[in-house]
Amino acid sequence: MKRKQYARDPGLSARMALTTFLLGALYVSFFFVLLQLFSLSIGAVVAIIAALALVQYFTSDRIALRASGARVVSPEQAPELHAMVERLCLEADLPKPRVAVIPTDMPNAFATGRNPKNAVVAVTQGLWNRLNAREIEGVLAHELAHIANRDVLIMTVASFFAMVAAMLMRFGLFAGLMGGGRSRNAGGGLAIILLVSLVTYVISFILIRAISRYREYVADRSAAVMTGRPEHLMSALEKIAGRMSRIPESQLREVERMNAFFIVPTTLRRATGELFLTHPPLEKRLAALAEVAEQMGRPVRRRR
């Protein structure tokens, strides 16, 4: 397998289309139930859905940057980082995204944005300090692959609506606890809100994590092809995971809501069943990259 320009993965595209359809059907049903409960007009429900979608579409990058504490840096502020991103974008024939730095010692990175022309690649100060140039290049190539695949947008939108369902669950629980004297009909309405929100959240949770794991495999492979050096990304993943296991739990929880976007999740130590993971297990990612290296004629020796 020769090194070549980046090409979108048809398997990921098909999964994204299916996930979008299923999530769309799920949320239409979700809002239809709310329509019945609150006696809203169809026009009002459509307006609410459209407003939420537009807000999420146009502000997803700013929300992610704010949630992680990242700040966009200029080429003068981070010349080496910008140079790496620009070189990889030329290799993959992608527009150069904005570049951001997260002021934390935790090594990690993520990409966000509604399309390749409105995207951001962010790396932590810890990643920049602890990885060598080749490893950082592998991480950046992984994040650029997410931008090229446009899987960042579907993860952002899907996560947003799952968050709405979770908020409605909390609202229903709070209303139920505070409204001890309300009528039986009102209590039944709250119970339905709780049930529908719970079902919506659980199904969203599973769908989001299923496509999230697959997109990580695709981004890993794309990064290996883009750089021509799978072993550098493998080394980066091992270093990030190794450092993550030594960071205090309290610090990891502060950025836990960004797990679906990070290259390595902060929940690495608490991972249980694969069904509930946003990323494939590290060993499986390394094994898949080792296979890519074999195909490229660059066999790597795995650590034991």
Side-chain angles (χ1 to χ4, degrees), residues 59 79 113 151 191 237:
T59 64
D151 59 45
L237 291 174

Side-chain angles (χ1 to χ4, degrees), residues 115-144:
N115 55 46
K117 292 183 179 180
N118 296 276
V120 185
V121 170
V123 300
T124 66
Q125 195 64 51
L127 183 132
W128 183 258
N129 293 338
R130 286 183 167 77
L131 271 59
N132 63 43
R134 293 294 188 183
E135 292 165 342
I136 295 172
E137 187 179 71
V139 170
L140 291 173
H142 173 101
E143 299 306 333
L144 289 173

Side-chain angles (χ1 to χ4, degrees), residues 65 70-86 96-102 120-123 125 128:
L65 291 175
R71 61 181 180 86
V72 175
V73 293
S74 67
E76 292 73 29
Q77 293 171 311
E80 293 179 74
L81 181 56
H82 270 271
M84 285 185 184
V85 173
E86 188 166 354
K96 182 185 175 185
R98 287 174 292 160
V99 177
V101 173
I102 309 168
V120 185
V121 170
V123 300
Q125 195 64 51
W128 183 258

Side-chain angles (χ1 to χ4, degrees), residues 103-119:
T104 176
D105 193 47
M106 178 190 70
N108 229 313
F110 72 88
T112 185
R114 60 185 182 272
N115 55 46
K117 292 183 179 180
N118 296 276

Side-chain angles (χ1 to χ4, degrees), residues 234-254:
M234 294 173 69
S235 176
L237 291 174
E238 290 178 312
K239 282 187 179 180
I240 294 171
R243 177 61 186 169
M244 202 80 70
S245 64
R246 296 194 292 272
I247 295 176
E249 198 80 16
S250 58
Q251 292 183 27
L252 295 179
R253 287 202 184 95
E254 291 178 3

Side-chain angles (χ1 to χ4, degrees), residues 27-45:
Y27 295 131
V28 167
S29 302
F30 174 62
F31 280 104
F32 178 77
V33 172
L34 296 183
L35 170 69
Q36 301 301 313
L37 287 174
F38 294 111
S39 301
L40 297 174
S41 68
I42 294 178
V45 172

